[in-house]
Amino acid sequence: MEPRLDYFGNPLAGKVLRHINSASKLLSDSALPGTVQELVKIRASQINGCGFCTDMHIKDAAQAGETAQRLHLVAAWREAEVFTEAERAALELAEQGTRIADAAGGVTDEAWAAAAKHFDEDQLVALISLLAVINAYNRINVINQQPAGDYRPGQFG
């Protein structure tokens, strides 16, 4: 697969990505646990069919010490016993927040309550914002048909 255009080399795209990357950096430094952040980014990227981001975040999570077993089970997290209640709540929120168009009611009160049980207000803000950012990255890469598989951890700083 070849990308439709050199998005990462385009000057306008560079300006757009600087803003998105700035938001991403702010969120990575938030109080939302790094493990939760990577799991959520992986799951949203899987749902959106973004191979580039799925590859990136699986490799980043592995580099940070995440186990292969947990990484292999993200797509089937409901049946897997390797995730904490807090991680499961974040994954449910990630799924519902990513599939907004598929559900007439958006994110359910139950999913929100489960997340709110495990995360404080700042962490919830970070989680919502993280979902918005990863969905933006996913859409850029899927629309542009950005190839996946060559990412190296730390490649983007």
Side-chain angles (χ1 to χ4, degrees):
M1 179 163 63
E2 291 293 320
R4 290 181 164 144
L5 54 86
D6 181 10
Y7 191 91
F8 297 116
N10 180 282
L12 177 59
K15 292 176 185 176
V16 170
L17 289 173
R18 271 192 293 280
H19 290 285
I20 298 173
N21 291 343
S22 177
S24 184
K25 174 68 172 133
L26 181 73
L27 295 168
S28 71
D29 293 341
S30 74
L32 186 65
T35 301
V36 171
Q37 291 187 39
E38 288 303 328
L39 292 174
V40 163
K41 289 186 276 190
I42 292 164
R43 188 63 191 126
S45 298
Q46 290 171 334
I47 292 166
N48 287 324
C50 184
F52 186 85
C53 289
T54 301
D55 178 52
M56 174 190 297
H57 296 296
I58 285 175
K59 288 175 178 175
D60 284 347
Q63 178 85 13
E66 188 59 79
T67 68
Q69 179 188 31
R70 283 170 46 95
L71 292 172
H72 290 300
L73 290 171
V74 171
W77 65 267
R78 283 183 180 83
E79 293 80 23
E81 297 178 343
V82 297
F83 300 106
T84 67
E85 280 188 45
E87 290 166 342
R88 297 167 88 63
L91 287 163
E92 181 66 37
L93 194 69
E95 285 196 5
Q96 290 188 25
T98 297
R99 292 183 164 136
I100 288 174
D102 297 341
V107 173
T108 65
D109 290 339
E110 293 79 16
W112 181 258
K117 176 180 169 188
H118 298 285
F119 301 104
D120 66 27
E121 186 171 300
D122 283 348
Q123 291 172 318
L124 289 168
V125 166
L127 185 54
I128 292 168
S129 302
L130 181 68
L131 286 169
V133 168
I134 193 60
N135 275 281
Y137 281 130
N138 290 166
R139 279 147 178 77
I140 289 167
N141 290 318
V142 170
I143 292 167
N144 194 44
Q145 294 184 345
Q146 195 65 39
D150 294 332
Y151 175 77
R152 296 172 320 280
Q155 176 177 332
F156 296 118

